[in-house]
């Protein structure tokens, strides 16, 4: 049974306030909650004690009783004292936007790394929010009386120290996993296979794009990533090898989606995962073109990428879901922007061609003469290059192929200058 909730927000002169409230409702739905009402207040700044004004607190309490809501969700991150004051005044549980996003991430995290990242973020969020629930949280350990003043320790301090120890332990465990992934990343760079990273707002269609390319160009077509029309359907960073018909290949990575007001604890926790995008040779910024707020989503994505150090990487802006827009012509390209639909084969072929031109622009057409005793070189070219011509001569096999700069250097001994 879905928990009934009310959502509450204040405008603070936000130009995208309506969208922020709509997204908060979608986040609640993504966490299996039923939004039974919303309350808004048009004020310039939040109330330091209760976020909204006193009159609105009374209004919230009345609407919650009427709609039988058991939880109130606020559109911004609340301070510990605001949560305490609101829960006392409303006599109901209170959650802020950050807590809601953390709850969604906790439910969706499947891999060990994602689970550790979310646990650390949750504990860092909870740490300053520990406050007493009656006298039990303010007890002194040891004997009572004035003689004991200063020698004991409040339970609240013990709990905080316990959480800090948990964070340290989990961080150490996470660092080991991050080190392992860094070794794999360095190995990929050593193999000189280019990396394309899908980035974008949550539910923009990154997983759908990845699955379409994997089905068409990967031997691991059965290893598709989970996709669903919902916020934060996937949190894991997936890596798949894409081999094109002309033997050009690249690694395709799918990263966690972004959302406005993404908790800084999560950005920091997922920093190592998002560094997959920082080290990419090409970013595909997938945009939900059918959403009227797509420009806001793009801005949020770009700001978050910048926050984790993803800069100066070539970008293709892929405006997805064009099939949902009336009278839109697609697929099409204008400079570094394409309009397409990740659900349609023709669009995916179009995207692939754009990636090919961007990623393999430095490849060269070259002629090689390979002695018959070096048959392994012929096999290598057939497996790793786009072989255009093969001719068997008296002194060996002559091959004309399109190759990468690295392979041209590697096979320099067999290269025939034009």
């Amino acid at each position: 049974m879905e928990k009934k909730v009310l959502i509450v927000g204040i405008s603070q002169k936000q130009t995208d306030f309506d969208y922020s409230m709509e997204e908060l409702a979608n986040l609640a739905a993504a966490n299996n909650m039923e939004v039974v009402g919303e309350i808004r207040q048009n004020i310039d700044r939040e109330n330091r004690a209760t976020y909204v004004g006193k009159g609105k607190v009374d209004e919230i309490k009345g609407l919650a009783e009427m709609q039988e809501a058991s939880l109130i969700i606020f559109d911004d991150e609340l301070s510990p004292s605001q949560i305490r004051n609101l829960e006392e005044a409303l006599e109901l549980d209170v959650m802020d936007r950050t807590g809601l996003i953390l709850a969604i991430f906790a439910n969706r995290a499947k891999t060990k790394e994602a689970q550790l990242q979310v646990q650390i973020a949750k504990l860092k969020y909870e740490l300053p929010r520990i406050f007493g629930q009656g006298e039990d949280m303010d007890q002194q350990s040891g004997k009572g009386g004035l003689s004991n003043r200063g020698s004991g320790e409040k339970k609240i301090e013990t709990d905080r120290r316990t959480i800090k120890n948990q964070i340290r332990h989990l961080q150490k465990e996470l660092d080991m996993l991050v080190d392992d992934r860094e070794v794999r990343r360095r190995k990929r760079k050593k193999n000189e296979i280019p990396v394309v990273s899908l980035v974008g707002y949550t539910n923009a269609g990154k997983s759908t794009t990845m699955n379409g390319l994997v089905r068409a160009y990967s031997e691991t077509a059965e290893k598709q990533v989970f996709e669903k029309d919902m916020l934060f359907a996937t949190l894991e960073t997936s890596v798949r090898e894409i081999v094109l018909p002309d033997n050009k290949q690249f690694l395709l990575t799918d990263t966690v989606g972004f959302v406005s007001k993404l908790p800084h604890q999560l950005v920091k926790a997922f920093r190592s995962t998002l560094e997959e995008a920082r080290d990419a040779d090409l970013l595909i910024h997938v945009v939900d073109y059918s959403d009227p707020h797509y420009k806001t989503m793009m801005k949020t994505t770009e700001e978050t990428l910048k926050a984790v150090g993803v800069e100066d990487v070539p970008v293709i802006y892929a405006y997805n879901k064009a099939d949902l827009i009336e009278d839109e012509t697609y697929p099409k390209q204008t400079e570094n922007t394409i309009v397409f639909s990740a659900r349609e084969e023709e669009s995916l072929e179009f995207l692939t061609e754009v990636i090919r031109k961007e990623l393999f622009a430095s490849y060269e057409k070259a002629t090689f003469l390979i002695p018959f005793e070096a048959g392994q070189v012929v096999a290598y070219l057939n497996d790793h290059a786009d072989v255009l011509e093969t001719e068997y001569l008296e002194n060996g096999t002559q091959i004309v192929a399109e190759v990468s700069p690295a392979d041209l250097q590697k096979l320099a001994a067999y290269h025939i200058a034009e």
Side-chain angles (χ1 to χ4, degrees):
M1 184 178 174
E2 291 185 337
K3 179 178 284 192
K4 292 182 177 182
V5 303
L6 294 184
I7 59 173
V8 180
I10 57 176
S11 63
Q12 300 187 76
K13 295 183 178 177
Q14 286 176 257
T15 54
D16 57 349
F17 179 53
D18 288 342
Y19 171 64
S20 185
M21 289 296 288
E22 179 187 327
E23 186 173 74
L24 185 63
N26 290 335
L27 286 167
N31 204 35
N32 300 313
M33 295 170 174
E34 181 190 356
V35 178
V36 293
E38 69 170 58
I39 288 180
R40 304 179 178 205
Q41 187 168 28
N42 185 23
I43 52 177
D44 292 343
R45 62 171 64 92
E46 65 183 65
N47 184 301
R48 290 180 63 183
T50 53
Y51 180 72
V52 293
K54 186 180 182 305
K56 282 293 176 184
V57 173
D58 295 336
E59 187 180 331
I60 293 166
K61 188 171 184 179
L63 185 60
E65 288 176 5
M66 187 187 305
Q67 299 292 350
E68 298 180 336
S70 58
L71 176 67
I72 315 299
I73 304 175
F74 290 81
D75 191 38
D76 291 290
E77 185 166 319
L78 302 178
S79 69
S81 62
Q82 285 174 328
I83 292 177
R84 181 167 62 248
N85 294 338
L86 283 164
E87 288 189 336
E88 286 176 0
L90 297 169
E91 299 178 313
L92 288 169
D93 289 333
V94 165
M95 178 182 276
D96 60 16
R97 187 185 182 99
T98 298
L100 177 59
I101 294 173
L102 287 168
I104 295 169
F105 271 57
N107 290 334
R108 303 280 165 78
K110 296 290 185 290
T111 65
K112 182 66 174 174
E113 185 176 2
Q115 288 168 350
L116 286 170
Q117 287 168 326
V118 174
Q119 280 179 274
I120 290 168
K122 279 190 74 176
L123 288 170
K124 285 183 175 179
Y125 169 75
E126 289 168 4
L127 188 60
R129 287 167 175 77
I130 297 173
F131 47 80
Q133 300 293 334
E135 292 180 1
D136 62 311
M137 290 294 285
D138 199 33
Q139 291 171 355
Q140 299 280 342
S141 59
K143 296 178 182 178
L146 292 174
S147 62
N148 187 52
R149 183 172 291 170
S151 64
E153 184 178 45
K154 291 183 180 179
K155 186 177 184 298
I156 189 170
E157 291 165 355
T158 308
D159 289 349
R160 282 179 177 154
R161 194 173 67 219
T162 300
I163 288 181
K164 286 178 182 177
N165 288 336
Q166 281 181 281
I167 291 171
R168 273 194 293 271
H169 172 74
L170 292 170
Q171 189 64 55
K172 196 176 291 185
E173 205 175 338
L174 177 61
D175 288 344
M176 289 173 66
L177 291 177
V178 170
D179 288 345
D180 287 344
R181 189 154 42 74
E182 187 58 36
V183 168
R184 292 197 299 273
R185 193 187 297 161
R186 283 199 297 268
K187 188 176 179 182
R188 293 203 300 264
K189 286 186 94 62
K190 190 178 178 182
N191 291 339
E192 294 169 331
I193 300 175
V195 176
V196 177
S197 190
L198 297 167
V199 298
Y201 212 78
T202 181
N203 208 30
K206 296 186 302 301
S207 297
T208 305
T209 302
M210 184 173 210
N211 285 339
L213 294 174
V214 167
R215 276 194 302 271
Y217 303 109
S218 178
E219 293 180 2
T220 57
E222 74 284 355
K223 292 186 178 179
Q224 296 184 25
V225 297
F226 179 70
E227 61 176 91
K228 192 174 180 181
D229 184 18
M230 66 192 300
L231 302 184
F232 301 118
T234 54
L235 299 183
E236 335 308 328
T237 294
S238 306
V239 182
R240 300 289 185 269
E241 186 178 40
I242 302 295
V243 182
L244 303 179
D246 60 4
N247 283 333
K248 292 183 178 71
Q249 55 187 297
F250 59 90
L251 293 176
L252 185 65
T253 71
D254 180 21
T255 57
V256 62
F258 304 129
V259 69
S260 62
K261 304 177 187 176
L262 190 65
H264 65 91
Q265 298 96 335
L266 273 178
V267 173
K268 194 171 180 182
F270 275 80
R271 186 184 186 96
S272 58
T273 307
L274 294 170
E275 283 172 357
E276 290 282 356
R278 187 193 65 187
D279 294 336
D281 298 280
L282 178 65
L283 298 182
I284 307 295
H285 183 163
V286 183
V287 180
D288 181 355
Y289 197 25
S290 69
D291 194 299
H293 307 285
Y294 74 89
K295 289 183 179 177
T296 301
M297 295 173 169
M298 290 177 72
K299 186 181 177 185
T300 297
T301 299
E302 288 165 354
E303 287 173 350
T304 309
L305 287 171
K306 191 174 182 181
V308 295
V310 182
E311 295 182 274
D312 303 320
V313 181
V315 182
I316 291 171
Y317 295 93
Y319 288 76
N320 185 28
K321 305 187 185 181
D323 52 310
L324 303 180
I325 302 172
E326 193 174 348
D327 299 328
E328 180 62 59
T329 304
Y330 68 96
K332 63 184 178 184
Q333 180 182 10
T334 307
E335 296 179 345
N336 66 335
T337 296
I338 75 163
V339 177
F340 82 122
S341 168
R343 296 198 177 279
E344 297 182 11
E345 189 176 329
E346 183 186 354
S347 280
L348 289 168
E349 288 174 359
F350 188 87
L351 172 62
T352 304
E353 191 56 35
V354 172
I355 293 172
R356 185 207 305 271
K357 286 177 181 175
E358 180 72 32
L359 213 54
F360 305 109
S362 61
Y363 276 47
E364 295 181 43
K365 184 178 175 182
T367 304
F368 302 93
L369 182 60
I370 302 150
F372 291 120
E373 62 269 21
Q376 75 277 6
V377 177
V378 175
Y380 179 85
L381 282 169
N382 282 321
D383 288 342
H384 295 88
D386 184 12
V387 175
L388 305 172
E389 296 174 27
T390 302
E391 188 178 354
Y392 299 100
L393 306 176
E394 288 184 10
N395 54 343
T397 306
Q398 182 172 290
I399 289 179
V400 179
E402 195 178 17
V403 296
S404 68
D407 279 343
L408 187 60
Q409 188 176 354
K410 188 187 298 182
L411 304 174
Y414 308 103
H415 183 214
I416 302 172
E418 297 294 326

